[in-house]
């Protein structure tokens, strides 16, 4: 049995009870070292830990599959939700490729993704349709990323950016800003959250025309409002449309 365990954004209060249980039951825990470090060391006591660095995803998944084939109760951990830019898909592909579909049983345990954590910290920016785009061009050509940003901009989606900027990949965020400025006003609200629900959490509100100059790195997620998004009392809100349909809210207090 191989359990793919989502850890949520980081803080243990946002770890699902089922994920906690799966970690308790595991004999082997496999994960990217940064995510292993997010876990309470007490929870990992007495377990075999296999942690690997960045860009070692295939090795990490294969190690987890190997351990579960050997009969060990194995958990592979992912931050946020394992099925969102996580390891769940790669594990299923590798199991199929290795002809292990019959012999390895997989349980995928969902978690709170960074986009939900960030949205909650910012207010309610995802109340209407939104598009989620990763700016990482490691596995996806920039042309495809660019065309998705263009489509999201044209259709007035709220846009969530994962992997927005790294030390080596720094110009894409400016390109996204330029594309979206063709579709929405410069003062469109933008929320930037770094280390959501983890140590060193940082929450900022800015505007679309300031996006490229804002402090952004790989620990950051960005939410760009649609044409209706506003800031109410310091909170980013995308109206669902109740007011347009039913008229102004009347206070009952
Ligand atoms: N599976 C994860 C995403 C992993 S991709 C999920 O469901 O959220 C890694 C990217 O996710 C980072 O570059 C960053 O953009 C975002 N991210 C993950 N955790 C975050 C957090 N706690 N705060 C802000 N951004 C986060």
């Amino acid at each position: 049995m191989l359990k793919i365990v989502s850890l949520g954004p980081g803080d243990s209060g946002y770890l699902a009870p089922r994920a906690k249980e799966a970690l308790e039951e595991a004999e082997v825990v496999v994960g990217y070292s940064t995510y292993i470090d997010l876990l309470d060391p007490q929870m990992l006591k007495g377990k075999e830990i296999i942690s690997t660095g960045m860009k070692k995803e295939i090795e990490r998944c294969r190690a987890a599959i190997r351990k579960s084939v050997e009969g060990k109760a194995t958990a592979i951990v992912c931050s946020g939700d394992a099925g969102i830019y996580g390891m769940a898909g790669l594990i299923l592909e590798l199991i199929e490729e290795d002809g292990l579909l019959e012999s390895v049983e997989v349980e995928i345990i969902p978690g709170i993704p960074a986009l939900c954590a960030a949205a909650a910290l910012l207010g309610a920016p995802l109340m209407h349709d939104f598009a989620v785009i990763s700016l990482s061009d490691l596995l996806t050509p920039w042309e495809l990323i660019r065309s998705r940003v263009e489509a999201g901009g044209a259709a007035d989606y709220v846009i969530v950016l994962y992997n927005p900027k790294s030390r080596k990949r720094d110009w894409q965020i400016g390109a996204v800003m330029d594309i979206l400025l063709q579709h929405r006003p410069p003062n469109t609200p933008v929320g930037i959250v770094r280390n959501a629900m983890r140590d060193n959490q940082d929450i900022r509100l800015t505007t679309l025309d300031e996006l490229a100059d804002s402090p952004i790195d790989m620990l950051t997620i960005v939410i760009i409002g649609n044409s209706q998004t506003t800031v109410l009392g310091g909170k980013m809100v995308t109206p669902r449309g109740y007011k347009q349909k039913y008229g102004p809210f009347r206070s009952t207090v």
Side-chain angles (χ1 to χ4, degrees):
M1 176 65 134
L2 176 56
K3 290 181 179 155
I4 307 177
V5 181
S6 305
L7 300 181
D11 184 284
S12 62
Y14 296 100
L15 180 71
R18 180 76 196 112
K20 192 159 177 265
E21 197 176 70
L23 288 171
E24 278 160 8
E25 288 163 5
E27 296 166 273
V28 183
V29 178
V30 183
Y32 173 35
S33 36
T34 310
Y35 302 154
I36 296 273
D37 294 345
L38 283 177
L39 290 167
D40 176 0
Q42 215 42 41
M43 217 148 68
L44 299 175
K45 227 170 157 188
K47 300 183 192 297
E48 182 183 348
I49 307 297
I50 303 177
S51 69
T52 64
M54 219 164 69
K55 299 192 186 157
K56 299 271 188 218
E57 290 89 354
I58 296 179
E59 286 153 58
R60 204 183 307 151
C61 291
R62 283 214 187 279
I65 294 168
R66 208 175 319 116
K67 286 291 174 185
S68 58
V69 168
E70 285 169 13
K72 292 268 167 55
T74 307
I76 179 163
V77 298
C78 279
S79 84
D81 182 87
I84 300 182
Y85 308 120
M87 293 294 104
L90 179 56
I91 297 249
L92 296 176
E93 285 179 278
L94 290 171
I95 287 177
E96 197 270 340
E97 192 177 280
D98 294 351
L100 294 170
L101 287 173
E102 303 290 303
S103 41
V104 180
E105 200 189 325
V106 173
E107 181 186 350
I108 304 172
I109 299 166
I112 298 174
L115 75 100
C116 293
L121 292 168
L122 289 165
L126 304 181
M127 290 299 296
H128 216 295
D129 301 339
F130 59 96
V132 184
I133 302 170
S134 164
L135 296 192
S136 171
D137 59 2
L138 278 181
L139 303 170
T140 308
W142 167 248
E143 246 335 281
L144 181 58
I145 300 172
R146 199 200 57 76
S147 72
R148 288 181 176 164
V149 172
E150 181 65 57
D156 201 25
Y157 280 98
V158 174
I159 294 180
V160 182
L161 300 175
Y162 270 82
N163 304 300
K165 185 178 179 181
S166 72
R167 246 174 295 146
K168 288 198 198 128
R169 181 175 51 71
D170 58 1
W171 56 266
Q172 283 86 345
I173 193 81
V176 167
M177 179 181 87
D178 293 340
I179 295 167
L180 294 180
L181 279 172
Q182 291 167 17
H183 299 283
R184 39 195 95 163
N187 64 350
T188 301
V190 170
I192 299 175
V193 182
R194 186 168 192 271
N195 283 319
M197 292 163 179
R198 287 182 191 163
D199 289 346
N200 304 315
Q201 171 176 289
D202 185 54
I203 307 163
R204 284 162 200 258
L205 273 178
T206 182
T207 50
L208 183 54
D209 57 346
E210 299 281 338
L211 177 59
D213 296 325
S214 304
I216 292 174
D217 64 9
M218 285 297 272
L219 300 174
T220 311
I221 187 162
V222 177
I223 302 184
I224 302 163
N226 68 12
S227 61
Q228 305 304 306
T229 305
T230 56
V231 176
L232 304 174
K235 297 278 185 200
M236 187 174 173
V237 179
T238 302
R240 181 79 201 282
Y242 293 101
K243 231 183 199 170
Q244 282 100 315
K245 187 164 165 70
Y246 300 109
F249 301 135
R250 265 183 294 271
S251 171
T252 52
V253 291

